């Protein structure tokens, strides 16, 4: 948001704000001055400048912080039919007397 003396409150999207910051730097303003005015880091400004140079306005959009996958998360598996007995891999097979894995009911 930008508020000036005698001016109405202007609400800008993040992309528009970043675009105006990029334009200010391209017009000759110093990166650290523009970053200070916006309350962002100098590194963020350089990131926006690089993304804008490579991808245009699309590069200034927010990016998801969610990882594509999680290496320690178990893979989702769907089984058809319910197994009669389930022995999980974390259970010691010697103690339960059955092989690890799924055993289906006969017939």
């Amino acid at each position: 948001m930008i508020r000036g003396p005698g001016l109405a409150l202007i609400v800008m999207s993040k992309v528009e704000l970043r675009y105006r910051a990029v334009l200010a730097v391209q017009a000759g303003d110093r990166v650290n001055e523009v970053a200070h005015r916006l309350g962002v880091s100098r590194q963020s400004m350089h990131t926006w400048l690089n993304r804008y140079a490579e991808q245009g306005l699309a590069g200034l959009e927010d990016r998801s912080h969610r990882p594509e996958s999680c290496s320690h998360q178990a893979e989702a598996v769907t089984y058809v039919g319910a197994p009669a007995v389930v022995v999980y891999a974390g259970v010691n097979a010697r103690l339960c007397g059955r092989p690890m894995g799924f055993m289906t009911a006969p017939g």
Side-chain angles (χ1 to χ4, degrees):
M1 291 190 283
I2 298 176
R3 191 184 293 246
L7 297 176
L9 183 64
I10 300 171
V11 179
M12 290 188 285
S13 71
K14 286 183 180 181
V15 173
E16 185 178 3
L17 184 70
R18 293 170 183 170
Y19 179 62
R20 287 188 181 196
V22 167
L23 291 179
V25 171
Q26 289 178 343
D29 290 355
R30 295 180 58 180
V31 170
N32 60 343
E33 291 172 356
V34 176
H36 181 72
R37 281 197 308 252
L38 296 178
V40 299
S41 70
R42 179 181 49 80
Q43 291 87 350
S44 291
M45 281 299 308
H46 283 290
T47 297
W48 298 343
L49 289 165
N50 291 333
R51 287 184 186 165
Y52 181 74
E54 293 171 3
Q55 303 169 19
L57 282 176
L60 300 178
E61 293 180 7
D62 272 346
R63 296 187 176 191
S64 174
H65 297 306
R66 181 179 178 189
E68 292 284 326
S69 65
C70 183
S71 62
H72 66 274
Q73 188 175 17
E75 183 178 329
V77 180
T78 304
Y79 295 95
V80 178
V85 178
V86 178
V87 181
Y88 294 98
V91 177
N92 188 330
R94 191 182 66 200
L95 295 176
C96 65
R98 297 191 173 109
M100 287 190 229
F102 290 91
M103 297 184 303
T104 57

